[in-house]
Structures are given as C-alpha cells and as structure tokens.
Amino acid sequence: MTLTGNMLIGQHATPGTREAVRAINPATNAALEPAYHGGTTEHVAQACALAWSAFDSYRETSLAARAELLDTIASEIEALGDELIERAVAETGLAHARIQGERGRTCQQLRTFARTVRAGEWLDVRVDPAQPDRQPLPRADLRQRQVPLGPVAVFGASNFPLAFSVAGGDTASALAAGCPVIVKAHGAHPGTSELVGRAVARAVKHCDLPEGVFSLLYGSGREVGIALVTDPRIKAVGFTGSQSGGIALCQAAQARPEPIPVYAEMSAVNPVYLFAGALKTRGEALAQGFVTSLTLGAGQFCTNPGLVIAVQGAALERFISLASEHLKERPAQTMLTPGIFNAYETGVGTLAEHAQRLASGLAAQGPNQCQAQLFTTRAQDFLANPRLQAEIFGAASLVVQCANDDEVRQVTEHLEGQLTATLHLDDSDIEHARALLPTLERKAGRLLVNSWPTGVEVCDAMVHGGPFPATSDSRSTSVGTAAILRFLRPVCYQDFPDSLLPDALKHSNPLALRRLLDGLREA
Ligand code: NAP
C-alpha cells in the first residue's frame, strides 16, 4: 500500500495545504517520505461538520452494529501486515517485537470494547416504575440510560504509536460509546497514522456507517489541535502527552462558550516504595526488577518508575549498589523523537544539578539514544525542591533516602498526583504499608504490591488515571473498559409511553440488560 500523505476527512483523502512535515527515523535522523502537509481550520470545520451529521445516526446504531465496527477495525489493522510494523519501527525507533506486541494489544483493546458494547452494562439502565398510589404524592415512571456526549477529538500519543494513537484506547472507547472521532495525528508517526486511519475508514465503509464517524487530520497542535478543541461540534477530548500540551487543551476547552471535558493523561513519576522487610530478604531481585522496569522501551512509559522511596540503612545501600551495577550494563536505546531525546537530556541535566548521580547506563552508540541514569537525594532535599519530582520522560530515576517512617510519610504527602504507586513488601512490612495507604489512595490511580508499574492490562478493573498532574480528571481511566464512561452522560425519561422509549428502556427489556429495577440489580 502506498502512503499518500493525505488526511482523511470522512472517506475523502484530502491533501493538507500547510507546511510539509516528514517523519524522522530517530535511529538515523533520516527524513522519511512522503511529506505530510498540515491541515487548516477549514479542514477542521469540514471534519467537524461531517462528524456532527453522523452523530445522531451513529449513536443509535444497535449494540451489535457498533461492536462489529470495532471488530472490523481490528481485522483491518491486522490485514495491514508487515507494512504497518516496518513503518512504525522506522518512525519510532521502537523494536519490531515491541511494535508487534503493541499491534496485538491494540486489536485486543478494540475487541474488548466490542465485547463491552455488546454486553450493554455501560448503558447503566435504571428503572423506577411509576407508583400512582404513593402517598402523599404519586411517583412518575422514571428511566435512565447513558447517551454519548458527541464527536470526540483524539490526540495521538507519541509513545504508543498504535495502542494510544489513531485506533488506540481513546478512539476505541469513544467509538464504543457512540461518539464519532476526529484524530489529530501525532507528527512523530504520520505514516503509521495514515495506514491505521485508512484501516479505520475501510471498516466504517464496510459496516455501512456514515462517513463522518471517523476523520484523521495532520497539522500543528496550536492550529489544528486548538481549532478542533474549540469547534462547537466537538463535545470531549482525549489526550496523552506533555503536561504543557494537556493544560493548553484544558484551558482552550474551558474558555469555550460551552466548556467541554478534556481527558488528558500527562505526567507522573510513579513512586516505588521499598519496605525494610522486602529490602532485606530480596534486595537482588528488587534491583533487577527495578532496572528492567526503568529501562523498558527506553523508559518511555507513563508508568515508568521515576522515583524510589525507602528508609536508609544497610539494606537500602545494598539495593542501590546492586541496581547501579545492573544499570551500568544497560545499553542506550533510541528514543521516539529528537525532541523527546533533547527533553530527556535537559531533565537529566537538572537532576544532575540537584541530586547525586549514582550510575549511568552504557553510552549512546547512535543519535537520540537514552543513556539510563540513577540518582539519589535525601528526603529533606526532596521536600525542599519541587524540581526533583518533575517527570523525566525516559530511563531516569531518583532514589529518595528517608531517615525514618515519618520522612517516608512526609515525602508521600508532598507528592503530586500519580498514575501508580508501588509497594514492595513482606509480611513484616504490612503495618508500615497500611499506614501509607490512605495517603496513597489520595495520590494515585493504581496501587500495586510486589510487581512493577510498567505494563498496563486492558481489562475491566484497570485504572490508568490519577489526580493532577497525572491526568486532568481523576474520576476516570484512559485504559480498560471503564474508559467508555468518559464519553457518556445520563438522560432520564419521565412518563414516556413505551412506544417512544429507546429499546434499552422499554418495559419488555428487549436488549435483556441487567437493569437497576426499583433499587435492585436484576440477575
Ligand atoms: P506533546 O508535546 O504534548 O504533544 C502531543 C500532542 O499534543 C501533539 O499532537 C501536539 O501537537 C499537541 N500539542 C502539544 N502542545 C500543544 C499546545 N500547546 N496546543 C495544542 N496542541 C498541543 O507530547 P509529545 O510530543 O508526545 O512529547 C513531548 C513530551 O511530552 C515528552 O518529552 C514527555 O515529557 C511528555 N510525554 C509524556 C507522556 C506520558 O505518558 N506521561 C507521553 C508522551 C509524552 P504538535 O505536534 O503540533 O506540537
């Protein structure tokens, strides 16, 4: 399949007219063909008009039809075969195995949302039947279901070119909810975006859905991105990226005459607590596991363990020494873009000024390579210096040495919102961990025991979210089936005749949904 450099406005391949951008192979710094010209505000308006015109019919498609779209997108992505893998590898510097795994995860994610849509639980049907004889006043017949918000703008993430990009989690959950999607492609992987975008457009056509269900735009965030977020036909936004980008989109969305929600996943350092018992009995395994998690994918995971917190002593010193030895053997790895590499170098430079360097990985052998880094600081210095808890996107981590449990508590209380917090503990550590839990529940979206935060399962119980700045809205998740809830809102139907009710709410329950009927969940 030949890449064209075109955007997709519905089913129409549309060339942009702004300045051309070519993807850069970060492993060589070579520019890749073809050129991708950015879209304009006019292109945004066209895509939004199509999405709006598709909304009312798409949102009332049957559960089976919507699930079929998601399944078909997965099949179309698989049918792209090696071309997709090769292009994604060239555009990101990520290894073949990683991209193949990510393709599998992306398709599984789409199919998991298809299953969720079919089951219909997300409609959260609530029925409070009329009570005409209730005293002193009768009760009306009240029925509630969830309806989709409207067209959603999705910003593809640089660090998951498949699983959090054009047909990634935000797109899958919005389509599952019944929302048309307009993707603003990430400039780091435009060819991958075009291939996947065309796969989605083919699925839309195959399923005989209105073309406005999906569009793909290229161009600058400040022009195309802001025009999308401020278009009155867009009703919600999904984003993964930098804190400054996420905040800019939130501010644009809030400044609209009709403000809309922005679900931005931004920055986290994902603290890892090493309790005394665990450090004493398995320092070597902890050091190995930590360095493996830290250096996975050049550290370019939002759940990368960027902070280690422990009480000082011989066991922590041994852990630090073992982790340093492991880290020194780790080869440098190509980062996603020259910009992300430069940001990493700047972040490491700041840490080097304010903390003590413990170890560095093997030196870079090519352009844009991330040399792993481990630093340490004392709890009092960490508490006094906000720069020490800024996210460094890449394989750098900071060990905070605490004098005692009270300093561990102070450091925990001082933390910003996080995606994850990890506890490594033995039975003897349980009470120390329990004392921290109330604070950690306030700080993080996912709490782990005796594992590592990298690797986020796509399932029903997952939470990939957390208080600011981990995300802009801690009430939701961007990974897992609960992500569908971000793009829904409740509508109540009072005293509707059965013939006018949507199927989900009809008296005969034709969709066989488990309803909350008069306060009790049906079997
Ligand atoms: P980014 O700079 O935030 O860009 C992500 C998307 O948002 C791009 O499409 C970008 O458009 C757009 N955007 C950025 N700033 C904007 C603004 N002010 N107004 C409108 N749109 C805007 O993220 P990135 O390029 O992926 O990486 C840059 C840094 O983000 C990394 O070094 C890392 O620190 C952080 N990051 C964090 C995570 C995480 O999960 N924690 C993931 C990825 C990146 P343009 O391309 O036109 O700018």
Side-chain angles (χ1 to χ4, degrees), residues 86-110:
E86 296 304 330
R87 181 73 191 193
V89 167
E91 288 187 330
T92 62
L94 295 170
H96 280 77
R98 154 72 197 271
I99 293 292
Q100 279 158 344
E102 196 178 319
R103 177 179 58 185
R105 176 196 162 117
T106 306
C107 295
Q108 182 237 330
Q109 189 163 246
L110 286 156

Side-chain angles (χ1 to χ4, degrees), residues 154-160 184-188 219-227 229 239-249 252 265-268 270 300-303 335-337 339-344 391-394 419 464 469-470:
V154 169
F155 287 73
S158 59
N159 58 338
F160 280 94
K184 193 285 215 197
H186 197 288
S220 92
R222 283 172 180 75
E223 183 176 9
V224 169
I226 295 294
V229 172
F239 167 92
T240 299
S242 65
Q243 205 181 117
S244 60
I247 289 172
L249 299 186
E265 198 252 274
M266 298 174 291
S267 63
N270 302 297
Q300 300 166 123
F301 289 104
C302 21
T303 52
M335 300 196 86
L336 292 159
T337 67
I340 286 176
F341 169 69
N342 289 335
Y344 177 72
E391 180 190 63
I392 296 177
F393 195 62
L419 292 170
H464 189 65

